[in-house]
Amino acid sequence: MDIRQLQYLVALDELRHFGEAANRCHVTQPALSMRLRQLEDELGLTLVRRGHRFVGFTEEGERILAWARAVLAAHDGLHAEASVCRGQLVGTLRVGMVPLAGFEPIPLLQAFAAEHADVRFDLKSLSSEQILAGLDTNRLDVGFAYADGRHERKYQLFEVAETTMGLLFNRHRWRFGRPALDWMDLESLPLGILSKGMHFRQSVDHALQSAGVALKPLVETDSVEFLVQSVSAGLCCAVMPLGSGLEHRDEALELLPIADSHTLAPLCLATRRGDPVSALAEAFQQFVRERVSPDQG
């Protein structure tokens, strides 16, 4: 068994396709398949369910995958730790980010990259639940997610912003004539909203219910991009975070604050409490703590 076999296994899990996994790993598909069969022979287990194409992993394969990710995280952490001992940071920081928040993490990544030229970033747009699960399974090193005291047993949390909400709309179709709205103003509007399961959607639903406003959304989507396009076209309005900058994507867009609106939990930088925690994750967490005040959100 060697580290490359584990990398092939994890790549296959992430891409769910033999050819694409082979391309990522810079080997031919037959070579990747052969090395995975050698791993199965060594372990005495069938890990991959095969047909004419990739089908999935066996139950045993899923259990081995969890160990493979842990070993790879430890392997990467070892190299990162060695680079720290040499006075430099090297490696890839795997970052999960919620798609809607009143805080923009990219400038932080840009500043971190300016100080550490050998650091690369693997960015994923995920729900808060997916981000926390990614930390649990070593798929992510850090995450910007909505989290609160309920999560502190498992994760180190640093609040970066409290997210408040506004109504994003096309000013050529709607005009409100005042600087702020309340939830009752939304009752007569066609509303676009993220799909259920996202924390931001849960916060909007909770606020509407608390205000006694019952809405049947015109548009539901799991894509922020589709939602903004729908608003730009005048198809609907949408509740969006203040400070997200979404209103600057189109000169026709405007974002008005909604009174008494905030997400159920603040946006936090989250990392694992238990080992392994990479040197990169620790360095980035310290970097954020030194540069971000939650009051700015």
Side-chain angles (χ1 to χ4, degrees):
M1 182 189 308
D2 59 48
I3 203 73
R4 294 293 292 169
Q5 289 170 302
L6 302 183
Q7 290 170 340
Y8 297 165
L9 193 69
V10 170
L12 184 59
D13 176 44
E14 293 179 352
L15 298 173
R16 320 299 285 185
H17 188 280
F18 283 105
E20 292 179 11
N23 288 336
R24 174 188 285 186
C25 297
H26 307 292
V27 296
T28 64
Q29 182 173 331
L32 181 137
S33 296
M34 180 188 70
R35 296 304 306 280
L36 290 179
R37 288 191 183 278
Q38 289 173 346
L39 178 62
E40 290 177 317
D41 291 342
E42 182 175 346
L43 296 175
L45 296 170
T46 299
L47 306 178
V48 181
R49 289 187 284 124
R50 299 171 175 86
H52 293 297
R53 60 187 66 186
F54 175 78
V55 176
F57 289 92
T58 63
E59 182 178 346
E60 295 81 4
E62 294 287 352
R63 295 176 64 176
I64 296 300
L65 263 170
W67 282 102
R69 284 191 288 267
V71 170
L72 290 177
H75 175 267
D76 293 343
L78 185 151
H79 284 280
E81 197 69 40
S83 70
V84 169
C85 294
R86 295 193 302 268
Q88 62 181 140
L89 280 177
V90 176
T92 298
L93 184 69
R94 302 167 299 169
V95 186
M97 299 186 293
V98 290
L100 281 181
F103 177 85
E104 178 53 71
I106 298 300
L108 277 176
L109 300 180
Q110 185 177 21
F112 191 71
E115 292 191 7
H116 306 287
D118 294 318
V119 172
R120 301 293 179 265
F121 302 97
D122 179 8
L123 307 181
K124 291 182 171 59
S125 177
L126 303 165
S127 70
S128 293
E129 290 76 10
Q130 289 171 326
I131 289 171
L132 298 180
L135 294 174
D136 288 340
T137 57
N138 289 321
R139 295 175 186 263
L140 297 173
D141 300 305
V142 300
F144 290 93
Y146 291 110
D148 55 29
R150 296 170 299 166
H151 303 101
E152 288 184 336
R153 182 179 63 84
K154 295 180 65 178
Y155 312 101
Q156 292 190 53
L157 302 177
F158 175 68
E159 181 179 337
V160 296
E162 181 181 8
T163 301
T164 53
M165 307 178 196
L167 185 72
L168 187 72
F169 61 94
N170 185 317
R171 62 165 62 93
H172 298 317
R173 180 169 180 189
W174 290 281
R175 292 186 182 275
F176 296 97
R178 56 188 190 277
L181 306 174
D182 58 44
W183 291 106
M184 292 299 298
D185 292 316
L186 277 61
E187 199 159 29
S188 60
L189 297 172
L191 192 67
I193 200 164
L194 282 180
S195 303
K196 290 184 181 294
M198 304 290 285
H199 181 91
F200 195 84
R201 166 65 185 270
Q202 294 168 3
S203 297
V204 173
D205 285 346
H206 181 268
L208 290 169
Q209 184 178 11
S210 298
V213 178
L215 292 177
K216 184 176 182 180
L218 175 65
V219 175
E220 290 192 57
T221 176
D222 61 358
S223 167
V224 174
E225 193 61 38
F226 289 160
L227 199 52
V228 174
Q229 288 176 11
S230 299
V231 176
S232 292
L235 176 63
C236 62
C237 304
V239 179
M240 293 293 197
L242 296 178
S244 60
L246 293 171
E247 69 273 25
H248 302 310
R249 295 193 182 187
D250 185 329
E251 62 180 11
L253 294 179
E254 188 170 339
L255 183 62
L256 280 184
I258 299 172
D260 299 321
S261 66
H262 55 82
T263 51
L264 295 171
L267 186 73
C268 295
L269 175 67
T271 55
R272 282 186 298 272
R273 282 197 180 277
D275 292 332
V277 177
S278 74
L280 275 178
E282 290 180 334
F284 185 70
Q285 182 186 63
Q286 184 61 33
F287 181 88
V288 173
R289 287 179 179 272
E290 291 172 354
R291 286 160 178 78
V292 175
S293 167
D295 294 338
Q296 73 186 49

